[in-house]
Amino acid sequence: MRVEEPQLKAFIADSGLISPEELTKAEKEAATAGKPLRDILLNSGRIKEDQLHRLEAYILGIPFVDLTHETIEPDILHLIPEPIAKKHNIVAFQKNGKDLEVAMLDPDDLQTIEFIRKKEGLRILPRLTTAESIQHVLRQYQKSLEAEFGELIKHDSETLSVTQEGSAEIAEAEDLKKLAEDLPVIRIVDTLLRHAILQSASDIHIEPIEKEVIVRYRIDGILHDTMTLPKRISQGLVARIKVMANLKLDEHRLPQDGRFKIENEEYRISFRVSVLPVFDGEKIVMRLLPENTKTFSLEELGFWNTNLERVEHAIRRPTGIILATGPTGSGKTTTLYTVLEMLNNPQVNISTVEDPIEYRMPRVNQTQVRPDIGLTFASGLRSLLRQDPNVIMVGEIRDNETAALAINAALTGHLVLSTLHTNSAAGALPRLFDMKIEPFLIASTVTAIISQRLVRRIAGDPEMYKLTKAEITELKKNMDLDRMVTMLIAEKVIPAGTTIGEIEWARPKPSPESPDGYKGRIGIHEVLVMSETIRELMIKNATSDDIEKQAREEGMITMLEEGFIRAAQHVTTLEEIMRVTNE
């Protein structure tokens, strides 16, 4: 029941999913690369995975199911044992009498279907689905264990051997080491880490207060209280995490930074650990960095239309500086890694200086900053220039020495990528002035500045509404609504002649899978390109407001404007846009 390539090509052509020109181009790429046409279509983003699977299901005459927003009843889910489900990518999702509907990636896997039929004594009805649907359901096997883990924490925290409980003295290193190796402590820490991974958290905060320890996860950029633990296990938790991160157990007065990794068949995640002394003990924050995350395309990060064209044009230039700006946690590093992935080929030598190295990239020479031994961004960059690089990424431009070296690298024929902490694209230029960089040097080297924020995506089917007169009046205080409506019409988001009060907006609808109605994040951006007029303004030491005004006249879409468009497309909400752009 495999779909043959000529058959797939014919149905794609008839479906109109992509233009005939794009299909022909994809065929040529497939022939050159020696890969199947479906792989080329998926990897290039021309067709989405669910579109392709729906088409294949139609060709094969098998129903297609999308389970990415479904919660399966535990008794049905466990009809197929978890090891079988994981190994063969098959999950049970619906039972009617003696009929069991199963979703799978390979309907040809008759052996597994027959095994389940004999085991359960049911008639198996196979359905085709996507890898994302399978992963979503597989996570529910683990999520069903959360109640059991909660009991584990409650039980283990009561039976835990406590070091010097009730004493103001700090435990000795040897006692702490024994405590860190105590089985209940190990199980409690493993539980915290697994919960964070299951919920796609980006950070774990373990915060001691007077009588208890609060654990919080940052999910989609928002911190959530996850659980509260007894204060008596605080020392054990800290000691266990310090052992995992190879930190000093008996150092309680100074901050410490470390790292450890968790690997299994499903994921490889690096944990970046920061320990900080606070009044009630030691606070720990762990950043989760998935190492097997698939590479994104610029479109998946949220770049589109004019902004996408501007970034792609800047990347194609062999020299110059591309800056990503925004606050901490706004996705700057991910954007630069995506650009590096696009540039990464055997003809190009790419080197980076980072603090820290967040993701490992094959064929990219990545150097970790070590200020304690004199390896700073500036000294690392100076050494990189002797390594014959084509592309250089500097984790952050923090001082005038690093800025001057980056400018010099761009002037001597390198493409330089870096980040700055500024609130807008135009604000990056005066920031460079403050670092004592001559305006004419900035004007001749900087090619594009990307400013970005991350907004939460709406999950499932949202609730629709229209703005009231009071809400429209409030919005007018922050933006030019007439310009916004004109842009929405120009982008074909709304029909011509539509007024602001007639536009339908989306509001998230809570569900068991997404309690707040959001799931995942997407970037909103503004991309400032260096035109002749902006170069002239810079040489005259113009303010960021003057530069932004000129850039908007030349077609730059601000983050607020792009956010407004995304809200009108029902990707996110107006409230979310106002939250991140007003920070």
Side-chain angles (χ1 to χ4, degrees), residues 7-165:
Q7 195 178 17
L8 179 64
K9 179 189 164 187
F11 273 87
I12 289 173
D14 290 343
S15 69
L17 286 173
I18 62 173
S19 66
E21 295 78 14
E22 283 293 310
L23 183 58
T24 304
K25 188 177 175 183
E27 275 189 283
K28 289 178 181 175
E29 288 175 21
T32 305
K35 292 182 178 179
L37 176 62
R38 70 187 309 281
D39 291 355
I40 296 295
L41 291 169
L42 285 174
N43 294 339
S44 63
R46 292 184 176 96
I47 288 182
K48 292 180 180 176
E49 187 186 10
D50 68 320
Q51 291 177 322
L52 187 62
H53 281 297
R54 285 177 192 275
L55 191 61
E56 289 177 334
Y58 176 76
I59 295 168
L60 295 171
I62 299 172
F64 176 87
V65 291
D66 179 2
L67 302 175
T68 52
H69 301 295
E70 299 296 325
T71 301
I72 314 302
E73 292 179 22
D75 55 337
I76 294 175
L77 182 67
H78 288 278
L79 288 173
I80 299 178
E82 185 179 0
I84 299 292
K86 282 184 177 178
K87 185 176 180 182
H88 297 280
N89 287 310
I90 180 169
V91 293
F93 67 95
Q94 193 164 311
K95 182 173 177 287
N96 295 307
K98 286 286 185 180
D99 290 345
L100 179 67
E101 293 187 58
V102 299
M104 53 201 308
L105 298 182
D106 181 11
D108 260 352
D109 191 356
L110 302 177
Q111 191 174 353
T112 304
I113 292 173
E114 183 63 16
F115 169 81
I116 298 166
R117 186 187 68 77
K118 285 182 177 178
K119 177 180 176 294
E120 300 298 336
L122 299 170
R123 187 165 73 119
I124 307 302
L125 305 176
R127 307 289 185 247
L128 198 61
T129 192
T130 63
E132 187 183 2
S133 284
I134 294 286
Q135 289 305 314
H136 172 77
V137 177
L138 287 178
R139 282 195 290 271
Q140 293 178 40
Y141 280 99
Q142 301 174 59
K143 284 189 177 179
S144 65
L145 299 175
E146 286 187 14
E148 181 184 332
F149 279 130
E151 286 301 311
L152 175 78
I153 286 180
K154 184 173 181 290
H155 171 74
D156 283 348
S157 65
E158 289 168 358
T159 60
L160 186 64
S161 58
V162 182
T163 301
Q164 297 182 358
E165 184 181 3

Side-chain angles (χ1 to χ4, degrees), residues 355-366:
D355 183 23
I357 296 171
E358 296 199 4
Y359 303 105
R360 284 289 297 114
M361 294 187 71
R363 302 183 70 97
V364 173
N365 311 291
Q366 295 173 269

Side-chain angles (χ1 to χ4, degrees), residues 237-255:
L237 285 179
V238 173
R240 176 62 188 162
I241 292 165
K242 281 184 176 180
V243 165
M244 294 172 77
N246 199 26
L247 300 177
K248 293 179 182 177
L249 282 172
D250 56 350
E251 178 57 78
H252 307 283
R253 299 170 302 168
L254 293 173

Side-chain angles (χ1 to χ4, degrees), residues 331-523:
K332 301 185 298 295
T333 304
T334 302
T335 296
L336 293 189
Y337 273 123
T338 302
V339 171
L340 286 184
E341 188 63 37
M342 293 170 68
L343 296 169
N344 193 5
N345 63 64
Q347 290 78 43
V348 176
N349 177 18
I350 301 176
S351 296
T352 74
V353 189
E354 304 173 59
D355 183 23
I357 296 171
E358 296 199 4
Y359 303 105
R360 284 289 297 114
M361 294 187 71
R363 302 183 70 97
V364 173
N365 311 291
Q366 295 173 269
T367 302
Q368 169 71 53
V369 167
R370 292 280 304 279
D372 54 321
I373 59 171
L375 179 53
T376 62
F377 279 122
S379 62
L381 179 52
R382 191 179 291 109
S383 298
L384 275 193
L385 292 173
R386 295 192 288 271
Q387 289 276 312
D388 184 34
N390 300 102
V391 180
I392 298 169
M393 185 179 96
V394 185
E396 184 184 345
I397 294 178
R398 294 177 180 171
D399 52 52
N400 61 336
E401 187 181 5
T402 310
L405 285 165
I407 294 283
N408 183 59
L411 287 170
T412 53
H414 304 87
L415 180 61
V416 180
L417 312 177
S418 192
T419 69
L420 270 179
H421 284 286
T422 61
N423 290 328
S424 66
L429 300 171
R431 178 90 169 82
L432 291 172
F433 296 160
D434 293 341
M435 293 181 184
K436 311 300 181 193
I437 303 298
E438 292 292 341
F440 73 90
L441 289 175
I442 301 170
S444 58
T445 53
V446 175
T447 55
I449 304 169
I450 304 162
S451 189
Q452 64 184 73
R453 301 288 188 278
L454 294 176
V455 296
R456 292 179 291 169
R457 284 177 177 270
I458 296 172
D461 295 321
E463 178 186 326
M464 307 309 294
Y465 73 100
K466 292 180 180 179
L467 293 173
T468 64
K469 288 183 179 179
E471 289 170 329
I472 292 170
T473 304
E474 189 62 29
L475 277 175
K476 282 181 178 177
K477 296 176 183 177
N478 295 301
M479 63 186 79
D480 182 348
L481 289 183
D482 292 335
R483 175 181 161 91
M484 291 290 192
V485 171
T486 303
M487 288 178 65
L488 291 173
I489 293 170
E491 300 292 343
K492 296 183 170 56
V493 177
I494 58 174
T498 307
T499 64
I500 189 71
E502 295 171 335
I503 301 173
E504 284 201 328
W505 306 94
R507 187 177 283 132
K509 195 183 292 182
S511 66
E513 179 62 27
S514 306
D516 55 6
Y518 293 102
K519 187 174 183 182
R521 290 187 290 175
I522 191 170

